[in-house]
């Protein structure tokens, strides 16, 4: 497997030390207020995973994941606002702004189970308030205040009104309008990316923030697996499945924090256009990481419930695609950072997709009694 770690050695260590000594990039760490606000998104990941676990078809899976998109881009906006605020984030005004943003996200999260029914208006209004607060907050900072049009403004003026309009519609029309509204914040950094090329971000804070969100998603896998195991009888098969599930979770952690995280931080520090790394690797690729991990959490929970059962619903088939998406995003990140995708991970991700497609066609291994005794089919 190719090593995505950044170059190392005395010459690189000297470069890092020189930057610190010169004080060109003051070190910014995550604040306690940011960690508290993240608890709301912990709840959001849990609600998305719980709703996803009830999905029976691909359409229900897509509709549930659609609800996560505005929540994700809201969190990205909160993180970029915190990065631009610096020390001001830990003042009374900075904390109050964070708590108001978290309150909006909490309202969106509470509405998730009924977002396509009676809670759609709550979801949309809270999203509109979230985008408005982010726009007001970001306009006060010199990094973004001079821009006539930026992704924050586009999300407020186009995306949020579409969600509000969709909340007034029913059925498929709501899904279509909300799908268009979710695409706006996804596409606007590409369309308006050239306007952000001159922006410089703090290179310690962002990698730490996005790494923490992956910890949030991985925590959901531990809760899903542990909760399911604790709810049922712990026979030998369940314990073996639990051990394999935890080994997979550890592998997901190792793949990112041993290989990916150092490479991303190095790229953010060294790339002359930081906005490209923020957009492509942090905003887009990390969304893929998190969605992949959520799918893994749901798939492992279903696997723990019935280790040898045939998969009958879309939720039961999410494990392999989740791992595949996670690995594919590593290849995508490596390509955007270093110009090479990495064949082993790409092949492995394709194998995971094949496994997901083939899984319903393979009979479950379960005991069957007959005149000759018990045998496996």
């Amino acid at each position: 497997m190719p090593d995505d770690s950044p170059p190392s050695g005395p010459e690189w260590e000297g470069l890092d030390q020189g930057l610190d000594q010169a004080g060109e990039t003051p070190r910014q760490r995550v604040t306690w207020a940011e960690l508290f606000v993240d608890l709301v998104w912990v709840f959001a990941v849990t609600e998305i995973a719980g709703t996803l676990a009830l999905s029976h078809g691909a359409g229900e899976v897509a509709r549930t994941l659609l609800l996560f998109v505005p929540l994700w881009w809201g969190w990205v906006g909160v993180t970029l606002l915190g990065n631009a605020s610096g020390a001001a984030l830990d003042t009374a005004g900075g904390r109050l702004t964070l708590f108001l943003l978290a309150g909006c996200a909490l309202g969106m999260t509470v509405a998730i189970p009924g977002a396509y029914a009676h809670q759609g208006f709550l979801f949309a209004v809270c999203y509109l308030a979230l985008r408005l607060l982010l726009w007001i907050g970001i306009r006060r900072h010199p990094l973004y205040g001079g821009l006539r049009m930026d992704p924050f403004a586009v999300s407020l003026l186009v995306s949020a009104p579409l969600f509000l309009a969709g909340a007034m519609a029913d059925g498929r029309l709501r899904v279509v309008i909300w799908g268009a509204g979710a695409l706006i914040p996804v596409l606007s950094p590409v369309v308006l990316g050239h306007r952000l090329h001159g922006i410089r971000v703090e290179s310690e804070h962002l990698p730490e923030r996005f790494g923490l969100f992956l910890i949030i998603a991985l925590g959901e896998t531990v809760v899903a697996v542990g909760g399911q195991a604790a709810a049922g009888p712990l026979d030998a098969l369940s314990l073996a499945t639990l051990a394999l599930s935890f080994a997979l979770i550890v592998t997901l952690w190792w793949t990112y924090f041993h290989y990916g995280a150092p490479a991303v931080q190095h790229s953010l520090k060294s790339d002359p256009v930081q906005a490209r790394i923020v957009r492509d690797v942090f905003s887009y690729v990390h969304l893929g990481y998190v969605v992949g991990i959520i799918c893994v959490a749901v798939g492992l929970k279903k696997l723990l419930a019935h280790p040898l059962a045939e998969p009958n619903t879309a939720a039961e088939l999410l494990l392999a695609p989740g791992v595949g998406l996670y690995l594919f995003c590593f290849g995508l990140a490596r390509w955007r950072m270093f110009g090479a995708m990495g064949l082993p991970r790409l092949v492995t991700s394709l194998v995971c997709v094949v496994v997901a497609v083939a899984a319903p066609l393979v009979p479950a291994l379960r005991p069957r009694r007959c005149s000759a005794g018990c045998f496996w089919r």
Side-chain angles (χ1 to χ4, degrees), residues 59-77:
E60 292 183 22
V61 170
R63 287 193 295 271
T64 301
L65 292 178
L66 171 62
L67 298 176
F68 183 66
V69 175
L71 280 162
W72 168 256
W73 286 102
W75 183 87
V76 171

Side-chain angles (χ1 to χ4, degrees), residues 8-370:
S8 59
E11 65 277 11
W12 290 97
E13 294 171 359
L15 175 60
D16 291 339
Q17 292 170 3
L19 287 174
D20 292 337
Q21 291 170 1
E24 295 178 11
T25 353
R27 186 182 180 90
Q28 179 181 344
R29 301 304 301 268
V30 176
T31 66
W32 294 114
E34 286 179 292
L35 292 175
F36 174 78
V37 165
D38 282 350
L39 294 178
V40 175
W41 272 270
V42 172
F43 178 41
V45 170
T46 299
E47 283 297 296
I48 290 293
T51 306
L52 206 58
L54 301 176
S55 302
H56 289 82
E60 292 183 22
V61 170
R63 287 193 295 271
T64 301
L65 292 178
L66 171 62
L67 298 176
F68 183 66
V69 175
L71 280 162
W72 168 256
W73 286 102
W75 183 87
V76 171
V78 171
T79 299
L80 292 176
L81 175 61
N83 188 270
S85 300
L89 190 67
D90 216 18
T91 63
R95 292 171 180 173
L96 180 60
T97 299
L98 285 179
F99 297 152
L100 288 173
L101 290 166
C104 296
L106 180 61
M108 294 172 64
T109 303
V110 168
I112 285 175
Y116 293 108
H118 57 287
Q119 298 291 2
F121 193 70
L122 174 63
F123 187 91
V125 168
C126 289
Y127 179 58
L128 175 62
L130 176 71
R131 298 310 319 189
L132 178 60
L133 287 171
L134 282 173
W135 181 80
I136 293 173
I138 208 70
R139 299 302 293 180
R140 296 181 301 180
H141 297 285
L143 283 176
Y144 300 90
L147 298 176
R148 295 183 60 184
M149 184 60 69
D150 60 83
F152 289 89
V154 171
S155 294
L156 172 63
L157 298 175
V158 183
S159 176
L162 280 175
F163 270 89
L164 199 59
M168 301 176 187
D170 294 317
R172 293 184 179 180
L173 182 58
R174 178 180 296 185
V175 177
V176 171
I177 297 175
W178 279 10
L183 278 177
I184 298 301
V186 174
L187 296 179
S188 59
V190 176
V191 177
L192 303 173
H194 62 285
R195 297 175 179 265
L196 307 175
H197 282 180
I199 291 177
R200 303 296 295 178
V201 299
E202 205 286 320
S203 58
E204 295 284 346
H205 179 258
L206 280 187
E208 189 175 4
R209 292 294 289 131
F210 281 85
L212 285 170
F213 204 101
L214 256 72
I215 290 292
I216 290 173
L218 288 170
E220 178 60 30
T221 65
V222 175
V223 171
V225 168
Q228 184 61 54
L234 288 177
D235 53 18
L237 178 60
S238 297
L239 288 174
T241 307
L242 176 62
L244 290 174
S245 299
F246 185 67
L248 174 60
I249 296 170
V250 171
T251 302
L252 297 180
W253 179 94
W254 193 280
T255 305
Y256 179 83
F257 288 98
H258 184 71
Y259 293 105
V264 172
Q265 186 169 16
H266 165 72
S267 295
L268 188 63
K269 288 181 177 180
S270 60
D271 199 297
V273 183
Q274 283 187 326
R276 186 180 67 86
I277 302 299
V278 173
R279 179 194 64 197
D280 296 352
V281 180
F282 283 115
S283 300
Y284 293 148
V285 171
H286 279 70
L287 172 60
Y289 288 153
V290 174
V291 170
I293 293 172
I294 292 174
C295 292
V296 169
V298 174
L300 288 178
K301 182 177 182 178
K302 296 293 185 179
L303 181 65
L304 260 295
H306 305 287
L308 297 179
E310 294 183 31
N312 295 313
T313 65
E316 295 171 345
L317 291 168
L318 289 178
L319 176 56
V323 175
L325 176 60
Y326 189 79
L327 293 176
F328 175 78
C329 286
F330 271 97
L332 183 60
R334 193 172 188 270
W335 172 56
R336 297 305 296 153
M337 291 187 296
F338 307 121
M341 192 162 189
L343 186 60
R345 286 174 187 160
L346 177 60
V347 171
T348 306
S349 65
L350 293 176
V351 169
C352 290
V353 174
V354 171
V355 169
V357 173
L361 307 178
V362 179
L365 294 173
R366 62 177 182 269
R368 178 184 176 187
R369 296 188 178 279
C370 61

